[in-house]
């Protein structure tokens, strides 16, 4: 399938995903700046956070190219994060308002990106690409 210029919602979603990654990086730095990494309770969550952020970057690159498989995988990953977010965000707001706000922004950016990727215009564009228009 030869892809023409990617729909603007794919590009906007890519920028939102990258903004979420930037917020995630600042959150990870804030959380683990003074951490003792000899304890597994510190380095395991850090490695998982880094893995998720790297996966989001990789998916955003492929979403920007209009790849449907990346759009689907991103939607599943983002919805899993968003479903679990209330449990994490409430705990983080109790610990730190700043960390709680970063988590909230991260989730909002991901949610908006999913909505853009599955908007009627983006779905129509992808359908047209499959039909060769």
């Amino acid at each position: 399938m030869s892809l023409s210029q990617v729909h603007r919602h794919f590009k906007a979603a890519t920028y939102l995903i990258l903004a979420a990654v930037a917020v995630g990086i600042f959150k990870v730095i804030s959380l683990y700046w003074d951490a003792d990494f000899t304890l597994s309770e510190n380095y395991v969550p850090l490695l998982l956070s880094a893995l998720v952020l790297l996966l989001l970057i990789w998916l955003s690159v492929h979403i920007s190219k209009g790849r449907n498989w990346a759009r689907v995988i991103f939607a599943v990953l983002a919805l899993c994060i968003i479903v679990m977010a209330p449990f994490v965000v409430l705990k983080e707001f109790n610990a730190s308002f700043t960390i709680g706000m970063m988590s909230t922004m991260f989730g909002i950016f991901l949610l908006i990106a999913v909505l853009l990727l599955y908007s009627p215009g983006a779905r129509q564009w992808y359908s047209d690409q499959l039909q060769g228009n």
Side-chain angles (χ1 to χ4, degrees), residues 14 17-18 20-25 28 45-63 69-70 73-74 77 81 106 110:
T14 299
I17 295 167
L18 293 176
V21 168
V23 170
I25 290 170
V28 167
L46 176 62
L47 290 176
L48 289 174
S49 295
L51 180 67
V52 168
L53 293 174
L54 288 172
L55 181 61
L56 287 172
I57 291 170
W58 182 69
L59 288 171
S60 70
V61 168
H62 291 285
I63 288 169
W69 61 265
I73 292 172
F74 169 72
L77 178 64
I81 291 170
F106 182 81
L110 293 181

Side-chain angles (χ1 to χ4, degrees), residues 70-113:
R71 180 176 75 140
V72 172
I73 292 172
F74 169 72
V76 170
L77 178 64
L79 292 176
C80 288
I81 291 170
I82 292 167
V83 166
M84 296 306 293
F87 305 109
V88 175
V89 171
L90 290 175
K91 178 182 169 193
E92 290 177 345
F93 267 117
N94 286 335
S96 167
F97 180 77
T98 305
I99 300 296
M101 284 304 297
M102 283 192 251
S103 291
T104 302
M105 287 173 46
F106 182 81
I108 289 171
F109 287 158
L110 293 181
L111 178 62
I112 294 170

Side-chain angles (χ1 to χ4, degrees), residues 6 8-20 56-57 59-66 113 116-117:
V6 177
R8 61 187 168 89
H9 286 180
F10 279 67
K11 294 292 186 181
T14 299
Y15 294 135
L16 283 169
I17 295 167
L18 293 176
L56 287 172
I57 291 170
L59 288 171
S60 70
V61 168
H62 291 285
I63 288 169
S64 72
K65 296 176 183 176
L116 284 172
L117 289 173

